[in-house]
Amino acid sequence: MNDRPSHPLSTTPLELDSDLRLHAQRLQLGRAELLTDALTLPFNDIESRLAQFALNTSTQQAEQLRKGMKHYLGRLNSNPLIPLQFRLKVLNRFEQELDLFDADMTAAVLNSHKIAVEMVQKAARDKNSYYPILVDMLSSAMELALKLLLISLEKYQAASIIATRQFFELAKLALAVSSTLNNQFPEKNARLNSVICKFELLRLLDFYSKTGNEQKQTWKELQHHIGSLQAGLYRSGEADIPLNGDRFLVTNLNRPNNSAMVLAEVPAPLQYDCIIIPIDKLISRLSMAVEHIRSILGNPEHQKELYTEEAMTTTLIGGKAILAALAGQKRSGKRSDMPDTQALIEWDCSKALSSFASGIDHSQPGSMLNHSSPSQWLVINHNAQGACLERLSYKAMTGYVGSLIGFHCLTDDEKPRLGFVRWAKEIKTGEQRLGIAFLQGRMQLLQGMISGGSEDMDLKRSWPVLITAVNENKLTGLFPDNRIYRNMTFALIKDNKRFHYRINRIIEKGPNYSRCECVRAKVKGKSET
């Protein structure tokens, strides 16, 4: 057993002697290099190029820098004789510019961090003066893992199973070592706590059901409230857990790839090692923020308060998304499996509306089968409310969620339907799935147009409009365009007559549609004929 020198810190954590199983990639370059000009000068050159690149970015420069940085990291990873302080200097400098690069560059820096973590962990087994350095190293590695998770979710890709397991092995060691520092380094504890809480909530937030803008807004709102959270490590068999509150986020470290559970109470004694995050304060803060913005929007006098529209939208969308995730809202209703059933998806909203009309009114042209743009999917399950679809493809899935699409199940008795893409996920490389919610209720398709001064111009500025609700002089319409704006006037054609309307309120917008409340409008010099 190692003879650890005395130190004012607490006792040595058991996790320090564990194997982190980081599987860091070490290039074999044939020889080990000492810290000489052969290593320092290339780093100085990269630093200079990074400073220039930040001021004058270009695709060619980015590619050259990426190659140079990756090559340099390879030399760093293969050379165990390089002093730790210089290794950390290089990694910290590269981390400052990660936003300029892609996931591959982030993964390369993370790999170098894994090697440095293993080196510091080994040193800390003999000298606990390395504990603060180890906590910093672990936090840096976890921040890179968090960035990679965010990149994956933004692309609607499943989180890496190995990377998630490694994150929690790093987190377990970091929390154990941090607990021995006796609050001597509060800034290190705050940084560690922040990255663990962000990672766990990000996994819980279901970014697969958010549009790109909703993802950004939710992530921004989460970071605003992350300081109200505190993560703690608790071990199997512990019966006395000093936590108060009504709701807790609990991660079972025996099953790290399962999302954290939201529990009303922590079971004691614990049956597994876990990370526990009390969330009462977070829920309270979010609820108050959302209600405050709602009150401002509902009272014109309060709208004089200094809130930008962007800030209010971020709080509403992001806050509601986080609260929904913490409430554990799930999809209701069972679906029937439909083995070997194919379906066509029409992504062009105008064509989808026309295909839907052909299904309910055979006088309307435009069967989806005749269009060139539909993509073919396999139906996994299906019911009256929606369907789950799957296909093999390497195309990016960005831009799918929130779209209004046409759905045609290729069976003898199925008519074309309209639906919204509620979630998208790449289960594994090339295997993609979609969740569709069907549009329900009575609907009527009419032709809409904006007058352009001539019949030719009118036709160029026309689109199908799906009427989903009618109430006296108001109606609700779905337009196959997300560039519709408030107070826009247009005409609906019914029985060869034009009826003029004005957009009174935009109810919602998706990537390819707008749902609006419309009221009758009087247009000077025009009569409804």
Side-chain angles (χ1 to χ4, degrees):
M1 184 174 178
N2 293 328
D3 183 19
R4 295 184 173 90
S6 61
H7 194 278
L9 303 179
S10 299
T11 57
T12 303
L14 297 174
E15 287 76 12
L16 199 59
D17 292 319
S18 63
D19 179 8
L20 292 177
R21 297 181 295 164
L22 298 181
H23 307 302
Q25 298 176 5
R26 302 171 188 265
L27 301 179
Q28 300 299 322
L29 298 185
R31 65 187 179 89
E33 298 176 86
L34 294 171
L35 185 57
T36 63
D37 287 350
L39 274 174
T40 57
L41 292 179
F43 174 63
N44 293 338
D45 177 62
I46 290 175
E47 273 200 301
S48 175
R49 291 162 61 193
L50 280 170
Q52 295 174 8
F53 179 66
L55 298 174
N56 184 23
T57 60
S58 74
T59 304
Q60 185 177 4
Q61 280 181 309
E63 185 59 30
Q64 291 174 347
L65 259 177
R66 188 181 297 115
K67 289 180 179 179
M69 292 169 73
K70 285 184 178 179
H71 177 72
Y72 193 82
L73 287 171
R75 295 179 65 183
L76 203 68
N77 296 347
S78 64
N79 298 322
L81 300 182
I82 295 175
L84 179 62
Q85 292 303 320
F86 181 76
R87 189 183 296 271
L88 297 182
K89 177 183 177 181
V90 173
L91 295 178
N92 290 336
R93 181 66 185 93
F94 283 10
E95 283 177 46
Q96 294 174 22
E97 310 297 341
L98 282 180
D99 288 340
L100 302 175
F101 300 105
D102 56 12
D104 289 340
M105 190 68 238
T106 304
V109 179
L110 175 57
N111 183 63
S112 295
H113 263 291
K114 291 176 183 177
I115 294 172
V117 163
E118 290 173 340
M119 294 172 62
V120 178
Q121 182 188 15
K122 183 178 179 180
R125 289 168 181 165
D126 296 319
K127 293 184 179 180
N128 53 16
S129 59
Y130 278 96
Y131 286 7
I133 299 173
L134 180 57
V135 171
D136 265 344
M137 286 297 305
L138 292 164
S139 296
S140 295
M142 286 188 288
E143 285 169 353
L144 292 167
L146 172 65
K147 181 178 176 64
L148 284 175
L149 174 64
L150 186 60
I151 291 172
S152 295
L153 296 180
E154 287 173 344
K155 295 179 179 179
Y156 302 93
Q157 296 171 344
S160 166
I161 293 174
I162 294 176
T164 301
R165 176 186 60 75
Q166 290 179 348
F167 177 92
F168 284 107
E169 291 192 355
L170 294 170
K172 185 177 182 180
L173 174 59
L175 286 171
V177 174
S178 175
S179 67
T180 69
L181 300 181
N182 297 329
N183 296 319
Q184 294 181 43
F185 305 93
E187 72 286 349
K188 297 184 188 300
N189 290 335
R191 181 187 179 196
L192 171 63
N193 182 74
S194 174
V195 67
I196 293 175
C197 293
K198 286 178 182 178
F199 193 91
E200 269 309 70
L201 280 162
L202 185 58
R203 290 204 305 157
L204 196 68
L205 281 175
D206 187 19
F207 265 29
Y208 306 113
S209 66
K210 310 282 186 295
T211 65
N213 283 336
E214 288 171 342
Q215 288 179 348
K216 291 182 177 66
Q217 290 164 332
T218 304
W219 178 238
K220 186 176 181 179
E221 186 66 17
L222 173 61
Q223 293 183 87
H224 182 67
H225 297 280
I226 208 70
S228 65
L229 298 174
Q230 181 66 48
L233 172 64
Y234 299 88
R235 296 177 175 85
S236 176
E238 284 193 49
D240 184 17
I241 301 174
L243 291 175
N244 297 317
D246 296 321
R247 282 157 294 191
F248 305 90
L249 207 58
V250 181
T251 303
N252 181 348
L253 293 178
N254 292 347
R255 298 181 178 179
N257 279 284
N258 293 348
S259 296
M261 302 171 286
V262 179
L263 302 180
E265 60 181 357
V266 179
L270 290 170
Q271 301 299 312
Y272 43 79
D273 290 354
C274 62
I275 292 175
I276 301 177
I277 306 173
I279 55 174
D280 284 344
K281 188 179 293 186
L282 173 64
I283 292 174
S284 177
R285 282 173 57 103
L286 284 167
S287 299
M288 290 177 62
V290 170
E291 287 305 315
H292 181 59
I293 296 302
R294 281 176 173 165
S295 68
I296 291 174
L297 294 174
N299 190 333
E301 293 183 2
H302 289 176
Q303 292 187 22
K304 296 178 182 178
E305 295 189 35
L306 296 178
Y307 289 95
T308 64
E309 184 177 350
E310 179 184 0
M312 290 191 291
T313 302
T314 296
T315 298
L316 277 180
I317 293 177
K320 289 167 65 176
I322 299 169
L323 288 171
L326 295 176
Q329 296 179 5
K330 303 291 184 181
R331 185 189 73 201
S332 59
K334 294 183 179 181
R335 291 179 176 171
S336 302
D337 293 336
M338 300 182 69
D340 302 322
T341 302
Q342 302 290 324
L344 294 179
I345 296 296
E346 176 57 75
W347 296 100
D348 186 303
C349 192
S350 293
K351 291 180 179 179
L353 293 176
S354 298
S355 297
F356 173 73
S358 70
I360 59 175
D361 181 358
H362 296 289
S363 65
Q364 295 276 358
S367 168
M368 194 182 300
L369 294 171
N370 298 325
H371 292 161
S372 59
S373 59
S375 56
Q376 192 159 332
W377 296 71
L378 181 68
V379 181
I380 301 299
N381 54 52
H382 175 279
N383 67 9
Q385 283 73 46
C388 176
L389 312 178
E390 181 181 83
R391 74 170 179 183
L392 299 179
S393 175
Y394 293 96
K395 293 182 179 179
M397 300 192 76
T398 52
Y400 286 4
V401 173
S403 296
L404 176 62
I405 53 95
F407 172 88
H408 188 190
C409 193
L410 299 182
T411 59
D412 294 337
D413 56 347
E414 279 283 344
K415 294 180 179 179
R417 303 191 67 171
L418 295 172
F420 298 98
V421 179
R422 292 307 185 201
W423 58 266
K425 185 176 184 180
E426 188 173 55
I427 306 297
K428 55 187 177 183
T429 303
E431 186 177 323
Q432 301 178 346
R433 288 193 177 184
L434 290 181
I436 308 296
F438 295 136
L439 190 59
Q440 307 284 344
R442 296 180 62 183
M443 292 165 273
Q444 181 183 20
L445 191 73
L446 299 176
Q447 191 69 18
M449 63 177 59
I450 300 176
S451 178
S454 68
E455 290 189 9
D456 288 341
M457 286 293 292
D458 287 354
L459 290 175
K460 290 180 180 178
R461 305 177 67 183
S462 66
W463 9 244
V465 179
L466 189 70
I467 308 303
T468 59
V470 179
N471 181 18
E472 296 181 355
N473 289 329
K474 294 182 180 180
L475 56 84
T476 301
L478 268 169
F479 298 76
D481 193 331
N482 65 354
R483 296 167 297 179
I484 304 299
Y485 55 90
R486 188 170 176 268
N487 290 326
M488 184 185 85
T489 57
F490 65 98
L492 288 176
I493 301 175
K494 184 177 182 181
D495 299 329
N496 294 322
K497 293 183 178 181
R498 294 190 183 189
F499 299 88
H500 293 96
Y501 283 85
R502 174 176 59 83
I503 304 295
N504 185 53
R505 180 169 64 95
I506 296 175
I507 301 172
E508 65 174 348
K509 285 191 176 186
N512 63 346
Y513 76 92
S514 301
R515 192 201 301 261
C516 306
E517 179 187 80
C518 311
V519 295
R520 294 296 297 273
K522 293 182 179 180
V523 181
K524 188 176 181 180
K526 294 184 180 289
S527 60
E528 294 177 349
T529 58

